[in-house]
Amino acid sequence: MTTNADEPQPQPQPRPRRRTPAGAAVLREDVTEAIRAAVFEELAAVGYARMSIEGIARRAGVGKTAVYRRWRSKLHLVLDIVSALAVQGLPAPDTGSLEGDLRLLYEVTSRALRHPVASQVIPDLQAEAARNPDLAEAMRKTLREGQDGVASRILEAATERGELSPAVDPDLALDLISGPLYWRSVVIRSPKLPKGYLGALARATAEGLKAL
């Protein structure tokens, strides 16, 4: 079959554009960060019990829908903040020594715990957790996972270097690492750490771990 070159040829039809599924939304990072900052401010201002999604949205300058797209409830919102305070996801220090790794961990953790907003938020959450079993359990899990994830990697590295015995009780070791600084900064809320405290704590903790 021959085709006359002068006859108009059928043109290919353009492909239909792929539409974004209904309900899908791009979550802007600047909005997410604004909401996180608003949670800190709201917790510090009114506490967990009186905190509301409406108040958070108002402080962040967004609608309630923007908050609910990211978190299901104020409990999930607060846990996100607690995770940040617990340095969850912080790369494990890698200074080449157990004492050096502990010193770096303590420096980062101390800055987080002594932040003016954090120093107000954490005691309030602890008090509320005593009345709210769901919050208590969620905080225990989040804080433990956050701190233990970093501390466990420090212990593993020290064991590989031969600084610690493989038989060290991991739970006892993790309590020894996390307990003293938390007690000083959060429980008795010392207004200022003495000069050289973090270095001395790292040195004492390293020696204590080696003695386990």
Side-chain angles (χ1 to χ4, degrees):
M1 178 178 178
T2 60
T3 303
N4 189 331
D6 293 330
E7 291 180 359
Q9 300 298 311
Q11 298 297 315
Q13 296 297 314
R15 287 187 175 183
R17 293 184 179 179
R18 182 174 297 177
R19 298 179 60 186
T20 302
V26 177
L27 301 181
R28 289 169 46 190
E29 187 60 29
D30 60 328
V31 173
T32 301
E33 290 307 313
I35 294 172
R36 285 197 178 105
V39 174
F40 266 117
E41 294 169 6
E42 190 76 356
L43 276 171
V46 303
Y48 178 84
R50 294 174 56 199
M51 187 181 78
S52 67
I53 297 297
E54 291 83 355
I56 293 167
R58 186 165 52 250
R59 283 183 184 271
V62 300
K64 289 192 298 180
T65 303
V67 180
Y68 281 119
R69 280 184 185 140
R70 292 162 173 81
W71 296 278
R72 296 196 301 273
S73 66
K74 75 174 186 178
L75 175 60
H76 290 88
L77 248 175
V78 168
L79 292 181
D80 185 47
I81 298 301
V82 171
S83 297
L85 293 177
V87 296
Q88 191 171 50
L90 177 73
D94 186 16
T95 66
S97 73
L98 175 59
E99 183 179 328
D101 288 352
L102 289 170
R103 172 65 183 269
L104 189 54
L105 174 65
Y106 289 150
E107 287 176 354
V108 174
T109 306
S110 177
R111 283 197 298 270
L113 292 175
R114 296 170 68 81
H115 186 281
V117 176
S119 65
Q120 291 177 271
V121 168
I122 293 178
D124 177 69
L125 289 177
Q126 288 178 316
E128 184 62 29
R131 300 184 289 268
N132 186 328
D134 291 337
L135 178 61
E137 178 58 28
M139 282 188 63
R140 254 194 311 272
K141 185 174 184 294
T142 301
L143 285 170
R144 190 73 180 180
E145 287 179 353
Q147 280 286 346
D148 288 3
V150 179
S152 294
R153 290 194 292 275
I154 291 176
L155 293 174
E156 289 170 4
T159 302
E160 291 173 359
R161 289 191 298 261
E163 293 182 273
L164 293 179
S165 166
V168 166
D169 182 333
D171 289 333
L172 182 57
L174 294 172
D175 286 344
L176 183 58
I177 290 173
S178 302
L181 184 58
Y182 187 82
W183 168 264
R184 185 83 183 232
S185 299
V186 178
V187 179
I188 65 174
R189 304 183 72 181
S190 177
K192 186 177 181 181
L193 294 177
K195 185 177 181 180
Y197 176 80
L198 295 179
L201 177 60
R203 189 160 49 252
T205 303
E207 291 304 314
L209 290 170
K210 292 173 183 178
L212 291 179

